[in-house]
Amino acid sequence: MKYIKIIEEIEKLKREIKNFDIGKSVLGESIVCFHLGNTDGKQIVVEGGIHAREYISTLFILEAINNLKNFKLNGGIYFIPMMNPDGIRLVLDGVNFIKDEKLKSFLLLVNESEDFSQWKANINGVDLNVNYDVFWGQGAQNTKKLSKANFIGYYPNSEIENINFLKFVEQNKIDGSLSFHSKGEVIYYGFKMSGKRLKEERKIVKRLCELNGYLPIKTKNSTGGLSDYLSYYYKIPAFTIELGNDFLKHPISEKYLMDIYDKNKFVISTFLNCL
Ligand SMILES: [Zn+2]
């Protein structure tokens, strides 16, 4: 699959569904947000494609939009299918689309290979899901040097893709969030939570796991993530859902998309109804 296929699909949806850009990536690519349903009532945000090699989550969200667009929703859903367009293009098209020779050499140096299929970061070599300013740098797998994966950045909230997202949540009323990644068939919940809130969050995650058969896991040892940030500062239910069986290799081939979609097809609308 080439990057242009994803762009074509997004452009097609843009012609029929209300949308706006939450901002641009480092290389100036649009980070598109679609909205379905009503603007009154509960609102959730659904994100994918944060980690480049996990672009199956982008395809999953595009499939979800196509399926939910004619569905009567109780409230509204914001979908941001591709939070890291530059990284995803790097995985899908390789480094040769980069015309700037300096940037190209930088990427080859950081990646230590011409094969970019395992790239997880944005185009600056920062892992967007460990860069948020929430217990930043305290995760077990964090690295403090440039890398294709797990580099926390030079300071928290340093990356434009994350800054855009934080602006988006600041400007819109959001009651819950689902962040799609791959892989492992688990749902992470309950970041730094205890007591009544944890009990409430467990109730929702249990409901979602009944739908997709995934395993609920209380978040620990990971910090700086989007769900962590929303849980901690906005005090809203925010789950990270790892799509696809752990036996599959990164990046998960699109031939598994429909299997993954079938398992998860009721997760988004059910989550909205739980709030
Ligand atoms: Zn991920």
Side-chain angles (χ1 to χ4, degrees), residues 18 35-44 72-78 173 175 272:
K18 195 171 86 180
H35 187 265
L36 288 182
N38 309 311
T39 44
D40 52 353
K42 299 283 185 188
Q43 303 292 316
I44 60 170
K72 197 176 159 358
L73 294 168
N74 233 334
I77 309 175
Y78 294 96
K173 180 183 104 65
D175 302 294
L272 178 62

Short mmCIF file of all heavy atoms in Angstrom, two decimals, residues 18 35-44 72-78 173 175 272:
data_model
loop_
_atom_site.label_atom_id
_atom_site.label_comp_id
_atom_site.label_asym_id
_atom_site.label_seq_id
_atom_site.Cartn_x
_atom_site.Cartn_y
_atom_site.Cartn_z
N LYS A 18 -18.62 16.35 7.36
CA LYS A 18 -18.12 17.59 7.97
C LYS A 18 -16.70 17.36 8.51
O LYS A 18 -16.44 16.37 9.20
CB LYS A 18 -19.06 17.99 9.12
CG LYS A 18 -18.86 19.42 9.59
CD LYS A 18 -19.96 19.81 10.56
CE LYS A 18 -19.58 19.42 11.96
NZ LYS A 18 -20.58 19.75 12.98
N HIS A 35 -16.27 14.94 11.77
CA HIS A 35 -17.27 14.88 12.85
C HIS A 35 -18.56 14.24 12.36
O HIS A 35 -19.10 14.62 11.32
CB HIS A 35 -17.58 16.28 13.42
CG HIS A 35 -18.48 16.22 14.63
ND1 HIS A 35 -19.85 16.36 14.54
CD2 HIS A 35 -18.20 16.00 15.94
CE1 HIS A 35 -20.37 16.23 15.76
NE2 HIS A 35 -19.39 16.03 16.62
N LEU A 36 -19.02 13.27 13.12
CA LEU A 36 -20.30 12.62 12.82
C LEU A 36 -21.25 12.81 14.00
O LEU A 36 -20.81 12.88 15.14
CB LEU A 36 -20.12 11.11 12.62
CG LEU A 36 -19.44 10.60 11.35
CD1 LEU A 36 -19.41 9.06 11.37
CD2 LEU A 36 -20.14 11.09 10.09
N GLY A 37 -22.54 12.86 13.70
CA GLY A 37 -23.55 12.95 14.75
C GLY A 37 -23.90 14.37 15.09
O GLY A 37 -23.73 15.28 14.27
N ASN A 38 -24.39 14.55 16.32
CA ASN A 38 -24.85 15.88 16.75
C ASN A 38 -23.72 16.61 17.43
O ASN A 38 -22.78 16.01 17.92
CB ASN A 38 -25.99 15.72 17.76
CG ASN A 38 -27.05 14.80 17.23
OD1 ASN A 38 -27.50 14.95 16.10
ND2 ASN A 38 -27.43 13.82 18.03
N THR A 39 -23.89 17.94 17.50
CA THR A 39 -22.89 18.71 18.25
C THR A 39 -23.34 18.91 19.70
O THR A 39 -22.55 19.29 20.54
CB THR A 39 -22.60 20.06 17.59
OG1 THR A 39 -23.83 20.65 17.20
CG2 THR A 39 -21.71 19.90 16.37
N ASP A 40 -24.63 18.63 19.96
CA ASP A 40 -25.02 18.62 21.38
C ASP A 40 -24.99 17.17 21.86
O ASP A 40 -24.82 16.25 21.08
CB ASP A 40 -26.39 19.27 21.60
CG ASP A 40 -27.45 18.70 20.69
OD1 ASP A 40 -27.08 17.89 19.80
OD2 ASP A 40 -28.63 19.02 20.84
N GLY A 41 -25.10 16.97 23.14
CA GLY A 41 -24.95 15.62 23.70
C GLY A 41 -23.47 15.30 23.89
O GLY A 41 -22.61 16.14 23.64
N LYS A 42 -23.20 14.10 24.37
CA LYS A 42 -21.81 13.70 24.66
C LYS A 42 -20.97 13.64 23.39
O LYS A 42 -21.48 13.29 22.33
CB LYS A 42 -21.81 12.32 25.33
CG LYS A 42 -22.55 12.26 26.64
CD LYS A 42 -21.76 12.88 27.77
CE LYS A 42 -22.48 12.70 29.09
NZ LYS A 42 -21.83 13.43 30.18
N GLN A 43 -19.72 14.02 23.53
CA GLN A 43 -18.80 14.03 22.39
C GLN A 43 -17.57 13.19 22.74
O GLN A 43 -16.97 13.37 23.81
CB GLN A 43 -18.33 15.46 22.09
CG GLN A 43 -19.46 16.45 21.81
CD GLN A 43 -20.19 16.17 20.51
OE1 GLN A 43 -19.57 15.88 19.48
NE2 GLN A 43 -21.51 16.22 20.56
N ILE A 44 -17.19 12.31 21.81
CA ILE A 44 -15.93 11.58 22.01
C ILE A 44 -14.98 11.88 20.86
O ILE A 44 -15.40 12.32 19.79
CB ILE A 44 -16.13 10.05 22.13
CG1 ILE A 44 -16.78 9.46 20.88
CG2 ILE A 44 -16.94 9.71 23.38
CD1 ILE A 44 -16.77 7.93 20.84
N LYS A 72 -27.54 6.56 13.25
CA LYS A 72 -28.02 7.64 14.12
C LYS A 72 -27.29 7.56 15.46
O LYS A 72 -27.42 6.58 16.18
CB LYS A 72 -29.53 7.54 14.31
CG LYS A 72 -30.10 8.84 14.84
CD LYS A 72 -31.60 8.82 14.97
CE LYS A 72 -32.12 9.88 15.93
NZ LYS A 72 -31.19 10.71 16.63
N LEU A 73 -26.52 8.60 15.74
CA LEU A 73 -25.69 8.58 16.96
C LEU A 73 -26.34 9.39 18.07
O LEU A 73 -26.99 10.40 17.83
CB LEU A 73 -24.31 9.16 16.68
CG LEU A 73 -23.41 8.38 15.72
CD1 LEU A 73 -22.21 9.24 15.32
CD2 LEU A 73 -22.94 7.08 16.34
N ASN A 74 -26.08 8.92 19.27
CA ASN A 74 -26.51 9.59 20.48
C ASN A 74 -25.40 10.53 20.93
O ASN A 74 -24.58 10.16 21.74
CB ASN A 74 -26.65 8.50 21.54
CG ASN A 74 -28.00 8.54 22.18
OD1 ASN A 74 -28.62 9.61 22.20
ND2 ASN A 74 -28.43 7.42 22.70
N GLY A 75 -25.32 11.73 20.35
CA GLY A 75 -24.17 12.59 20.62
C GLY A 75 -23.30 12.70 19.38
O GLY A 75 -23.81 12.56 18.26
N GLY A 76 -22.02 12.95 19.57
CA GLY A 76 -21.15 13.15 18.40
C GLY A 76 -19.79 12.49 18.55
O GLY A 76 -19.33 12.21 19.66
N ILE A 77 -19.18 12.23 17.38
CA ILE A 77 -17.85 11.61 17.38
C ILE A 77 -16.90 12.41 16.49
O ILE A 77 -17.20 12.66 15.32
CB ILE A 77 -17.87 10.16 16.86
CG1 ILE A 77 -18.95 9.33 17.58
CG2 ILE A 77 -16.49 9.51 17.01
CD1 ILE A 77 -19.11 7.91 17.04
N TYR A 78 -15.78 12.83 17.04
CA TYR A 78 -14.69 13.39 16.25
C TYR A 78 -13.73 12.24 15.91
O TYR A 78 -13.35 11.48 16.80
CB TYR A 78 -13.91 14.44 17.05
CG TYR A 78 -14.70 15.67 17.38
CD1 TYR A 78 -15.34 15.81 18.61
CD2 TYR A 78 -14.79 16.72 16.46
CE1 TYR A 78 -16.06 16.95 18.92
CE2 TYR A 78 -15.51 17.88 16.76
CZ TYR A 78 -16.14 17.98 18.00
OH TYR A 78 -16.85 19.11 18.31
N LYS A 173 -15.56 20.55 23.39
CA LYS A 173 -16.00 19.82 24.57
C LYS A 173 -15.84 18.32 24.29
O LYS A 173 -16.44 17.78 23.36
CB LYS A 173 -17.48 20.13 24.82
CG LYS A 173 -18.08 19.44 26.02
CD LYS A 173 -19.57 19.77 26.15
CE LYS A 173 -20.50 18.64 25.71
NZ LYS A 173 -20.50 17.42 26.47
N ASP A 175 -15.85 14.41 25.97
CA ASP A 175 -16.26 13.64 27.16
C ASP A 175 -15.57 12.29 27.27
O ASP A 175 -15.73 11.60 28.28
CB ASP A 175 -17.78 13.43 27.13
CG ASP A 175 -18.52 14.75 27.07
OD1 ASP A 175 -18.44 15.51 28.05
OD2 ASP A 175 -19.16 15.05 26.03
N LEU A 272 -19.52 5.66 23.25
CA LEU A 272 -20.29 6.92 23.30
C LEU A 272 -21.55 6.73 24.16
O LEU A 272 -21.88 7.60 24.98
CB LEU A 272 -20.64 7.36 21.88
CG LEU A 272 -21.49 8.61 21.73
CD1 LEU A 272 -20.79 9.84 22.31
CD2 LEU A 272 -21.82 8.87 20.25
#
